[in-house]
């Protein structure tokens, strides 16, 4: 046992000497420095930071909200008018969509996308953007008339708010009525629900009757255009499906084969140009 122990010590003697030197020259100096480090003086640890005269603080505004009871009927009427105005502003995008040509354009563009068997291209946001700019182009004369006759005099304090509303309503009513000049049956449908006598002129038609009649008219026109757009592409689908069935390829989707042919037909006949031109002519441009 003693001989084996001495033999192992003799064999590992170089390692023991190396570790002893490492402890002597590396660990002990660091330990001695850490114990002999002097602390900072009291003057070095205490200090005051001062800001210059050109540096100022941030002044936050004091915001207060208060609600008081109305004192007379005029204040009550003003509060009701303000509430109605805020409600109208929240519904303004929907009113613009329903009383302009945007409804027709957006539906027709969605129809052509489905007729071409396209799912993601072009995106819906792109089609709505095209419909929006086409609407601005078609409605620009009406918007200009509203601005010149209603908004501009109101901003110059030449007319009151009620008169400005009437002047802004008149061009828009005229535009909607002109679109339904050839087919005004929807005006009679809605007028018969609330009126005893059928209106004879546009002045006899209330706005709340004219707007829903115009919406149904635009939906009808848009669906008619969509059906006409579907017919040539349905023929291509039928021809391709018949060819695939005659060749025994029943498991192959016909839409996958017919879509390139429909795209080529649409591009060769300049489909986008023809579509926008006919839509513009359809609203009287």
């Amino acid at each position: 046992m003693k001989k084996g122990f001495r033999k192992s010590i003799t064999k590992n003697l170089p390692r023991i000497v190396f570790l002893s030197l490492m402890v002597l020259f590396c660990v002990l100096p660091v330990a001695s420095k850490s114990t002999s480090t002097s602390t900072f003086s009291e003057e070095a640890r205490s200090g005051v930071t001062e800001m210059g005269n050109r540096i100022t603080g941030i002044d936050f505004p004091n915001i207060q909200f208060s609600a008081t009871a109305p004192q007379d009927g005029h204040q009550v009427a003003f509060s009701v008018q303000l509430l109605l105005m805020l409600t109208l502003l929240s519904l303004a995008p929907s009113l613009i969509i329903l009383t302009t040509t945007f409804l027709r354009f957006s539906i027709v563009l969605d129809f052509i996308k489905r007729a071409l068997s396209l799912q993601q291209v072009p995106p819906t946001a792109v089609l709505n953007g095209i419909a929006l700019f086409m609407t601005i182009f078609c409605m620009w004369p009406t918007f200009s008339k509203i601005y010149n006759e209603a908004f501009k005099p109101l901003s110059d304090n030449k007319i009151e708010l009620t008169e400005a509303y009437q002047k802004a309503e008149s061009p828009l009513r005229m535009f909607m009525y002109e679109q339904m000049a050839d087919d005004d049956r929807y005006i009679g449908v809605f007028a018969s629900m609330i009126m005893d006598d059928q209106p004879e002129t546009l002045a006899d038609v209330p706005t709340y009757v004219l707007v829903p009649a115009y919406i149904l008219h635009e939906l009808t026109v848009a669906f008619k255009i969509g059906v006409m757009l579907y017919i040539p592409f349905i023929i291509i689908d039928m021809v391709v499906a018949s060819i695939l069935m005659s060749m025994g390829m029943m498991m192959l989707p016909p839409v996958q084969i017919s879509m390139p042919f429909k795209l080529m037909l649409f591009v060769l006949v300049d489909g986008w140009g023809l579509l926008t031109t006919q839509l513009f002519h359809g609203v009287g441009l």
Side-chain angles (χ1 to χ4, degrees):
M1 290 291 292
K2 292 182 179 180
K3 291 181 180 181
F5 180 73
R6 291 176 182 177
K7 188 176 181 179
S8 61
I9 292 178
T10 306
K11 185 178 180 180
N12 296 323
L13 182 61
R15 297 180 182 178
I16 297 173
V17 173
F18 177 74
L19 292 175
S20 302
L21 293 176
M22 289 291 292
V23 172
L24 181 63
F25 289 103
C26 296
V27 179
L28 292 179
V30 174
S32 62
K33 286 184 180 180
S34 62
T35 54
S36 62
T37 301
S38 60
T39 58
F40 291 103
S41 61
E42 189 68 24
E43 296 179 355
R45 284 187 295 164
S46 62
V48 179
T49 302
E50 295 182 357
M51 300 177 63
N53 297 327
R54 288 183 289 181
I55 300 177
T56 58
I58 301 175
D59 296 331
F60 289 95
N62 185 16
I63 301 175
Q64 295 181 355
F65 296 95
S66 60
T68 58
Q71 302 298 325
D72 52 11
H74 179 72
Q75 293 184 0
V76 175
F78 177 76
S79 301
V80 174
Q81 290 178 358
L82 183 61
L83 179 62
L84 293 176
M85 185 175 296
L86 293 176
T87 305
L88 183 62
L89 289 176
S90 63
L91 298 176
S94 299
L95 294 176
I96 293 174
I97 290 174
L98 296 176
T99 57
T100 60
T101 57
F102 181 86
L103 182 62
R104 181 191 303 186
F105 293 162
S106 60
I107 292 175
V108 171
L109 292 176
D110 189 71
F111 264 111
I112 194 62
K113 178 181 177 180
R114 296 178 184 273
L116 291 171
S117 303
L118 300 174
Q119 301 297 327
Q120 303 295 334
V121 180
T124 305
V126 175
L127 295 180
N128 289 335
I130 296 173
L132 176 62
F133 281 100
M134 291 170 60
T135 302
I136 294 174
F137 181 80
C138 293
M139 299 293 298
W140 191 258
T142 304
F143 290 157
S144 299
K145 194 172 182 180
I146 293 174
Y147 176 80
N148 294 325
E149 296 182 0
F151 183 78
K152 190 68 168 57
L154 179 64
S155 62
D156 296 337
N157 294 324
K158 295 181 180 180
I159 58 176
E160 298 295 332
L161 181 61
T162 306
E163 186 179 357
Y165 171 75
Q166 295 175 355
K167 289 183 176 296
E169 184 185 26
S170 178
L172 195 59
R173 283 171 51 89
M174 183 61 65
F175 172 79
M176 291 188 291
Y177 184 75
E178 288 176 353
Q179 298 300 313
M180 294 184 293
D182 299 333
D183 186 11
D184 57 350
R185 66 179 185 273
Y186 294 112
I187 296 179
V189 170
F190 284 98
S192 62
M193 297 179 183
I194 58 172
M195 300 174 63
D196 296 332
D197 299 330
Q198 290 293 326
E200 297 180 357
T201 61
L202 176 60
D204 300 332
V205 181
T207 304
Y208 55 84
V209 172
L210 186 62
V211 171
Y214 173 77
I215 294 172
L216 292 185
H217 174 267
E218 289 295 292
L219 288 174
T220 303
V221 173
F223 274 73
K224 287 181 180 179
I225 298 174
V227 170
M228 298 300 294
L229 291 174
Y230 252 101
I231 292 176
F233 300 113
I234 289 177
I235 294 175
I236 295 176
D237 288 334
M238 293 174 62
V239 171
V240 172
S242 300
I243 294 174
L244 291 178
M245 290 185 65
S246 63
M247 295 175 64
M249 300 180 180
M250 298 179 182
M251 301 302 294
L252 185 63
V255 177
Q256 187 175 358
I257 305 300
S258 63
M259 184 176 66
F261 294 99
K262 291 190 287 187
L263 290 177
M264 285 190 294
L265 175 64
F266 189 74
V267 172
L268 288 175
V269 300
D270 191 18
W272 293 114
L274 290 175
L275 183 62
T276 54
T277 302
Q278 293 302 317
L279 287 175
F280 286 146
H281 288 313
V283 295
L285 294 179

